[in-house]
Each structure stands twice: as structure tokens, then as C-alpha cells.
Amino acid sequence: MNNKVNTSFLSCLAGAAIILICWEIFALIVNLPIIPHPVKVFQKLYMIFGTTISAHLLHSLYRILIGLSCAVLIGVPFGICIGYFPKIERLFSPLVYLLYPVPKVALLPIVMLLFGTGDTSKVLIIFAIIIFQIVLSIRDSIHDISEELYYPLKSLGASFKDIFFDILWPASLPRLLTALRISTATSISVLFFTETFGTKYGLGYFIMDAWLRVNYLEMYAGIIVLSLLGLTVFCIFDLLEKTFCSWK
């Protein structure tokens, strides 16, 4: 386990080094303020992180965590219900299939008109992106379970609670974490877009504000922090999968 963690860490460091080297070479070739040298960007990030960027980071992180938590709390039981109970699936599957393909960003004007331009509208958009990934992933994982696995528990008079903890949850967890990794990365991209409207806090606002002020060092610093936020969330889900799905 430790060897795998060390290998992953070294791979991340190698990937980061390659990106920074390519960035530096590109900055030397272009030689324009729009492509600053990475050293200058990291120096700027160090200077303003505690006084400026940290507040924007906390607001973005808050919106991501609330949207993610609500999606998990609602999406997991709903996905299990439509995956395990055929009657519930027949009732709600048409609704899921109709709503899932709709681009959630296109709903942003409607959500803002209904719920205002504050955190609620931004959290709802993130929630709408993540929940469908969770519901469909869990439903499909339950559909892939062989019927024969249920027979021993049912013959012993197991309750739905027993079936859930012994079969449904272990089978659903790997796909749930995979869905969270994919959908959270998408939601962070959408968060950047939503934070350019009706707010003065958030990494999206910070990056666009720096761009409009032609402050490219701050703009790149914000992009780095937003990227690290996405990387951190991705790594957390990866660690959770290695910890709780070690049997894979």
C-alpha cells in the first residue's frame, strides 16, 4: 500500500515538473506579459494567498462541499432504490433520462431568477451536475449484481438493511467514488463560470477580476489554486477508494 502511495506521489511530482518546464519554455519563447514565468506566478501566489486568495478559496470550497454533500445524501439512496426496486425504477427512470442530458449550465439564468445570485444558485447547479452521475452509477452497479448473490441472504430471512450492507453498498461504492471524481471535476469547471455572476467572492470571480484588471500574475495564481482544489478533491476520492475498496 505504501509503495503504491509513494509511486503515485512521485508520478504526480514528475507530471508537475514536466508541466512547469513546458510552461517556462513557452514563456521564454512567447516573451509576453500574458505568459508570465512560473517563478513569478508562484512568488505572487505566496505574497497574496493569506490576504486575498484564501478567502476566495474558502468560498469556492464551501460551495463545492455543500453541493457535493447534498448530492451524495440524496443521490445514493435514490440510486439504490431505482436500482433495487423495479417498480420505483419504472416510475422514475423516464424522469432521470429526460433531465440528465439537459446542460445544467443552461439552467443557470432560471436558477438565478428563482433563487437569486448568491450561494444557493451556485450550489444548486453543482448539485444538479453531480446527482445524476451518482444516481446512474449506483443504479448500474446494482443491475450488475448477480441474482445468485441474493439467494443465501434471502433464504436466511435477511432484511433489506442486511442486503444493503452486505451486497448493495460494497457493490456500489467503487462506482460511486468514480462518479464523484468525474462529476466533481466537471462541477469545479462550472463553479468557475457561475462565480463570475452576482458575487464578489470565489476563485472564478478572482480570476476574471484579475483578467479584467490586466493583472496576469494574479490571474495565473488563481488558476493554479483552482487547479490544486480540483486535484485535492480528486486525490481524496482516490484515497477513499484505495482505503475502502482495497478488495478490488
Side-chain angles (χ1 to χ4, degrees):
M1 181 69 178
N2 290 331
N3 291 333
K4 290 182 179 179
V5 172
N6 292 333
T7 302
S8 300
F9 180 71
L10 292 175
S11 298
C12 289
L13 288 180
I18 293 172
I19 293 173
L20 291 175
I21 292 171
C22 293
W23 181 359
E24 176 64 25
I25 293 172
F26 191 54
L28 290 171
I29 294 173
V30 175
N31 195 26
L32 290 172
I34 194 173
I35 308 292
H37 295 278
V39 173
K40 293 183 179 179
V41 174
F42 281 101
Q43 287 175 343
K44 188 68 174 179
L45 175 59
Y46 176 77
M47 291 172 57
I48 66 174
F49 182 83
T51 57
T52 307
I53 294 186
S54 58
H56 295 280
L57 173 61
L58 289 175
H59 278 78
S60 294
L61 185 60
Y62 166 78
R63 292 160 184 157
I64 286 288
L65 290 178
I66 295 298
L68 177 65
S69 300
C70 292
V72 170
L73 290 174
I74 297 175
V76 169
F78 185 55
I80 289 173
C81 286
I82 66 172
Y84 186 73
F85 300 103
K87 291 183 179 180
I88 297 179
E89 182 178 13
R90 286 194 296 269
L91 181 63
F92 286 102
S93 281
L95 181 63
V96 172
Y97 278 106
L98 285 172
L99 294 177
Y100 178 62
V102 177
K104 308 306 179 292
V105 178
L107 301 176
L108 182 60
I110 300 173
V111 174
M112 283 187 170
L113 287 172
L114 292 173
F115 299 98
T117 58
D119 288 343
T120 302
S121 58
K122 296 168 179 57
V123 169
L124 283 174
I125 291 295
I126 295 171
F127 169 81
I129 291 172
I130 298 177
I131 189 168
F132 287 103
Q133 294 274 1
I134 292 175
V135 169
L136 292 176
S137 296
I138 289 183
R139 185 206 64 175
D140 291 343
S141 65
I142 291 176
H143 284 177
D144 290 341
I145 298 174
S146 173
E147 288 289 334
E148 295 176 354
L149 292 177
Y150 296 111
Y151 296 155
L153 287 178
K154 290 182 177 179
S155 64
L156 295 173
S159 63
F160 176 76
K161 179 181 176 181
D162 298 323
I163 293 174
F164 171 78
F165 283 108
D166 291 338
I167 298 178
L168 300 182
W169 181 243
S172 304
L173 186 58
R175 287 200 184 181
L176 170 63
L177 294 173
T178 299
L180 287 173
R181 278 201 297 265
I182 297 171
S183 56
T184 302
T186 305
S187 65
I188 290 176
S189 301
V190 173
L191 178 67
F192 167 80
F193 178 76
T194 61
E195 286 182 336
T196 60
F197 296 95
T199 185
K200 290 186 178 180
Y201 289 99
L203 291 173
Y205 169 81
F206 177 83
I207 293 169
M208 293 302 296
D209 180 65
W211 174 57
L212 293 172
R213 290 186 286 108
V214 199
N215 192 328
Y216 296 122
L217 290 178
E218 288 192 3
M219 182 184 76
Y220 278 90
I223 292 172
I224 289 173
V225 174
L226 185 63
S227 302
L228 290 176
L229 173 61
L231 177 62
T232 301
V233 174
F234 187 91
C235 290
I236 289 173
F237 289 133
D238 198 38
L239 181 62
L240 289 173
E241 183 175 18
K242 290 177 180 177
T243 303
F244 296 104
C245 305
S246 56
W247 44 266
K248 283 182 61 182

